[in-house]
Amino acid sequence: MSFGRLELAIVSFIPILLSWIWTIGLMNIFGLKFNIINIIITSFIFGLGIDYCIFIMRALLQEYKTGEKHLTSYKTSVLLSALTTLIGIGVMIFAKHLPCNPL
C-alpha cells in the first residue's frame, strides 16, 4: 500500500503469492510438514522476497515517472543481496553446533 495505488500493491504481491503456492506445493510433494525451522526459514525467505519485489517495483515506477532507466542497477543490487544471503546462510551448514553448557 506504500505505492499509493491498490493495483500496484496487487501486482507487487503476485510473485509472493506464487512463491507461497510453489513452496507449499513442493513441501506437499516431498512430504515435508511445517515445523519451527521451516516456519523460520520460509518467513525469512518471503521477507526478502517482499523487499526484492518492492525494490523492482520502485525501479519500474521511477522509470515510468521520470524516464530514467535504473532497473539494471536495481536488478544487480537484488542479485548481489540474494547471493550474499545464500552464501551467509550456506556457511551455517558447515558450522559445528556445540551443546549448550550452562555452567
Side-chain angles (χ1 to χ4, degrees):
M1 300 308 290
S2 66
F3 295 125
R5 301 210 39 179
L6 182 62
E7 299 88 8
L8 295 175
I10 291 171
V11 168
S12 297
F13 186 70
I14 289 172
I16 299 162
L17 178 66
L18 291 175
S19 66
W20 264 109
I21 293 170
W22 186 40
T23 302
I24 292 172
L26 284 175
M27 285 180 69
N28 188 25
I29 288 171
F30 292 116
L32 298 172
K33 304 291 181 209
F34 273 111
N35 58 27
I36 190 68
I37 301 299
N38 291 347
I39 293 170
I40 291 171
I41 290 173
T42 53
S43 298
F44 181 67
I45 291 171
F46 291 125
L48 286 173
I50 290 168
D51 288 344
Y52 298 159
C53 286
I54 290 171
F55 293 148
I56 297 298
M57 183 61 75
R58 182 163 171 80
L60 291 171
L61 285 173
Q62 187 177 8
E63 182 177 335
Y64 178 73
K65 286 179 184 177
T66 63
E68 298 173 9
K69 297 190 183 277
H70 295 288
L71 186 60
T72 55
S73 64
Y74 277 80
K75 284 182 184 178
T76 304
S77 65
V78 167
L79 179 67
L80 289 174
S81 174
L83 257 163
T84 57
T85 301
L86 285 174
I87 291 170
I89 292 174
V91 168
M92 287 193 256
I93 294 172
F94 302 109
K96 296 208 183 237
H97 300 285
L98 300 174
C100 181
N101 187 359
L103 297 177

